[in-house]
């Protein structure tokens, strides 16, 4: 087996569950009491902007009540100490990875603490509530929306992510159900390019069969153990 130098890590809602942020596909299939198509599609934003903006305002406000957990902190430690290439790709729109200290990080599904202009495409930091009709500082149009990648929209920085996966010796997936593409397909790309693959998840995911190794348990326990082991070998 080749020595591990380049690592790509994909995280999903499970990595933030122990911080108190609800996952998407829990019992009942509702996401914080809403059907995903009512709050996470361009059609929903067009049909009921008040509902969609309020939904993300509530999620943004909740960030003030939660803290990074042991899994976020371990990944930040790995980022700081790993001398090879490393990229952490998160599907999460919370800010817990960066608050833990991760730097080599891509939010492929957007960020709660960012606003996007639906007209000019400019985006920037946004901390407060974001009512429909908020004005873009760049183009002046009243078209700011939550900077969330809705279903049917293209995730961010895909070229960079694909490039990193194609160079990876190890691809690791943490706390994701493997239900949403393109992220769910990253493991197949990684295997195609010869990477070793590891999954850490509480339950079997839809993609478990693609991984060379699957570890079952809470991210707050599994991830620090894995990071300790990896850094000890390095
Ligand atoms: P899901 O809610 O689909 O899956 C979360 C996964 O985390 C499940 O497989 C759980 O078993 C696992 N899990 C729960 N608690 C855990 C813990 N403490 N430790 C480890 N694993 C745990 O969330 P995602 O896979 O992230 O997209 O969902 C993918 C995308 O679907 C999201 O980014 C979002 C959603 O629609 C957008 O908003 C665009």
């Amino acid at each position: 087996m080749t020595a591990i130098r380049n690592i790509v890590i994909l995280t999903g809602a499970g990595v933030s569950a122990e911080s108190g942020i609800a996952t998407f596909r829990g019992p009942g299939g509702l996401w914080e009491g809403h059907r995903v198509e009512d709050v996470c599609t361009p059609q929903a934003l067009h049909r009921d902007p008040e509902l969609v903006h309020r939904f993300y305002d509530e999620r943004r406000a909740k960030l003030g009540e939660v803290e990074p957990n042991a899994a976020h902190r371990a990944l930040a430690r790995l980022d700081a100490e790993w001398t090879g290439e490393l990229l952490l790709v998160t599907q999460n729109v919370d800010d817990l990875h960066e608050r833990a200290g991760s730097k080599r990080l891509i939010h492929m599904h957007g960020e709660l603490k960012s606003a996007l202009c639906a007209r000019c495409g400019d985006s920037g930091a946004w901390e407060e509530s974001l009512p429909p009709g908020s004005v873009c500082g760049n183009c002046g149009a009243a078209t700011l929306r939550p900077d969330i990648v809705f279903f049917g929209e293209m995730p961010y920085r895909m070229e960079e992510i694909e490039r990193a996966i194609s160079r990876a010796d190890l691809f690791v997936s943490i706390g994701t159900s493997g239900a949403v593409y393109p992220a769910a397909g990253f493991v197949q790309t990684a295997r195609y390019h010869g990477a070793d693959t590891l999954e850490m998840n509480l339950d079997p995911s839809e993609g478990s069969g693609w991984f060379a190794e699957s570890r079952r348990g809470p991210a707050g326990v599994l991830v620090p153990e894995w990071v300790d082991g990896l850094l000890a070998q390095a």
Side-chain angles (χ1 to χ4, degrees):
M1 202 177 86
T2 50
I4 297 166
R5 182 162 171 75
N6 301 337
I7 305 174
V8 174
I9 302 160
L10 172 70
T11 62
V15 82
S16 295
E18 289 157 77
S19 293
I21 297 182
T23 59
F24 295 94
R25 290 169 187 81
L30 291 183
W31 176 28
E32 303 255 325
H34 293 268
R35 295 186 314 157
V36 144
E37 54 270 36
D38 289 338
V39 290
C40 198
T41 62
Q43 294 79 1
L45 182 65
H46 182 71
R47 191 173 53 236
D48 194 346
E50 292 287 346
L51 170 73
V52 174
H53 279 246
R54 192 170 61 244
F55 180 80
Y56 289 101
D57 281 351
E58 287 167 11
R59 308 276 83 70
R60 192 181 307 106
K62 175 102 201 280
L63 294 181
E65 300 164 19
V66 296
E67 296 290 336
N69 64 50
H72 299 106
R73 290 194 297 273
L75 292 172
R77 176 173 167 237
L78 183 64
D79 186 3
E81 297 185 18
W82 189 256
T83 53
E85 289 182 17
L86 180 145
L87 181 63
L88 174 56
V89 180
T90 188
Q91 299 168 88
N92 298 343
V93 295
D94 66 54
D95 61 351
L96 295 179
H97 281 307
E98 50 269 51
R99 275 165 59 192
S102 281
K103 303 269 187 280
R104 293 179 275 183
L105 170 68
I106 290 179
H107 278 276
M108 66 176 290
H109 287 168
E111 295 173 67
L112 284 167
K113 288 195 172 177
S114 174
L116 169 71
C117 178
R119 186 173 181 202
C120 74
D122 192 53
S123 61
W126 199 275
E127 298 278 337
E128 307 301 324
S129 62
L130 178 67
S134 296
V135 173
C136 171
N138 186 52
C139 73
T143 46
L144 284 184
R145 55 165 266 191
D147 193 0
I148 303 293
V149 175
F150 292 148
F151 283 94
E153 296 179 332
M154 183 60 80
Y156 292 136
R157 297 169 68 180
M158 283 302 295
E159 276 185 28
E160 236 175 296
I161 295 169
E162 297 279 353
R163 207 177 314 124
I165 294 173
S166 73
R167 295 165 54 84
D169 306 305
L170 175 63
F171 173 78
V172 183
S173 172
I174 303 167
T176 174
S177 61
V180 174
Y181 282 81
F186 289 169
V187 61
Q188 295 168 46
T189 310
R191 283 177 69 121
Y192 175 80
H193 289 284
D196 195 8
T197 52
L198 168 66
E199 173 185 65
M200 288 178 263
N201 211 47
L202 199 56
D203 310 299
S205 75
E206 293 188 23
S208 290
W210 288 101
F211 289 86
E213 185 186 350
S214 287
R215 298 183 189 173
R216 297 272 163 266
V221 173
L222 294 184
V223 178
E225 277 173 9
W226 169 67
V227 168
D228 284 350
L230 195 63
L231 288 174
Q233 282 169 28

